[in-house]
Amino acid sequence: MIKNLARGFAALSLALTPLAVPASAHTASAAPAALGAAQTFPLSYAIGQIPLAEESRAGYTRTAFRHWNTGLDPADGCNTRAEVLLAEAAEAPAVAAGCKIGEGEWLSYYDEQEVTDPAKLDIDHMVPLAEAWDSGASAWDAKRREAYANDQDAATSLVAVTARTNRQKADQDPATWMPPAPNATCRYLAEWTATKLRWGLTADQREIDAINVYAGGPCETTVVHYTPAA
């Protein structure tokens, strides 16, 4: 229960909270964050800290990102997918031998759907594996790509959502896909931006422009929290 609450509070910390930023926030980049040092910025500032670069999918294969692995606790018999389901459950499911997860209760925030059958949920990579590859992960070694694909150290990297919305999203970025629930918009953009910053990924111009439309409007008070990955 404590683990569930902690993960929930981490997501809620992306709520609408105004912050002061340096006067030069939109004209100069911040110094790179130290590893392990938590960062908090308004969305409008945070998006400016993502390096701008063209994307390339040359050489991409999904198998370049090993997942799901044995998760945070190899002794629990659950892989990353199962651990995320357990962590995000609003009502804890029964767990049978072999980490077989039974019915529980989950809220898919992308479409505000309550789900009781875990088979109807996907674990979405906030920034899809293909998009991560396009944005810099192609240069990583296999160990770092595995760490990215199974990242439970940031509550926003992996999210349990309906299979329908995850498959609609596929490998798209915010320039071409946004969650269908209007109330999900600002949270989603904050979590997307946090993930890119956490892993030192880049963004292309269309992606930046799409996020800035919201950052300067309905999400102007949205805050991004992230900790750089090791």
Side-chain angles (χ1 to χ4, degrees):
M1 178 61 71
I2 292 173
K3 183 179 179 182
N4 293 3
L5 289 173
R7 193 179 184 97
F9 285 136
L12 288 173
S13 68
L14 297 168
L16 309 180
T17 307
L19 283 179
V21 296
S24 59
H26 302 288
T27 58
S29 295
L35 290 180
Q39 304 291 309
T40 302
F41 298 124
L43 177 60
S44 58
Y45 179 78
I47 191 61
Q49 307 314 300
I50 300 177
L52 181 65
E54 293 296 320
E55 296 183 354
S56 172
R57 193 155 300 181
Y60 170 72
T61 62
R62 189 170 175 82
T63 56
F65 295 82
R66 179 174 174 253
H67 67 290
W68 305 110
N69 65 16
T70 55
L72 291 177
D73 181 6
D76 67 6
C78 299
N79 64 13
T80 299
R81 170 188 160 80
E83 287 184 354
V84 173
L85 286 173
L86 292 171
E88 295 195 358
E91 181 179 313
V95 183
C99 198
K100 183 176 176 59
I101 297 177
E103 288 195 352
E105 186 175 306
W106 292 267
L107 176 65
S108 167
Y109 91 82
Y110 287 2
D111 50 0
E112 296 181 341
Q113 296 296 304
E114 292 184 0
V115 180
T116 58
D117 181 357
K120 295 182 178 179
L121 293 165
D122 281 353
I123 304 305
D124 183 36
H125 291 93
M126 175 54 58
V127 174
L129 301 181
E131 169 70 18
W133 178 274
D134 299 351
S135 307
S138 59
W140 297 348
D141 62 20
K143 183 177 180 181
R144 187 165 180 82
R145 286 197 289 266
E146 180 180 351
Y148 176 85
N150 297 274
D151 183 17
Q152 292 187 71
D153 290 325
T156 58
S157 294
L158 301 170
V159 57
V161 296
T162 56
R164 179 180 62 255
T165 54
N166 183 48
R167 293 164 198 183
Q168 287 172 348
K169 173 183 173 180
D171 59 6
Q172 298 179 84
D173 68 27
T176 55
W177 189 88
M178 289 289 291
N183 290 336
T185 298
C186 296
R187 175 180 170 182
Y188 181 75
L189 292 176
E191 293 184 355
W192 178 280
T193 302
T195 303
K196 286 240 163 167
L197 290 169
R198 171 170 168 75
W199 287 94
L201 296 170
T202 64
D204 62 20
Q205 191 64 59
R206 290 181 65 230
E207 180 183 343
I208 294 291
D209 290 347
I211 298 174
N212 274 328
V213 167
Y214 294 94
C219 303
E220 64 181 350
T221 58
T222 296
V223 172
V224 173
H225 302 274
Y226 77 98
T227 301

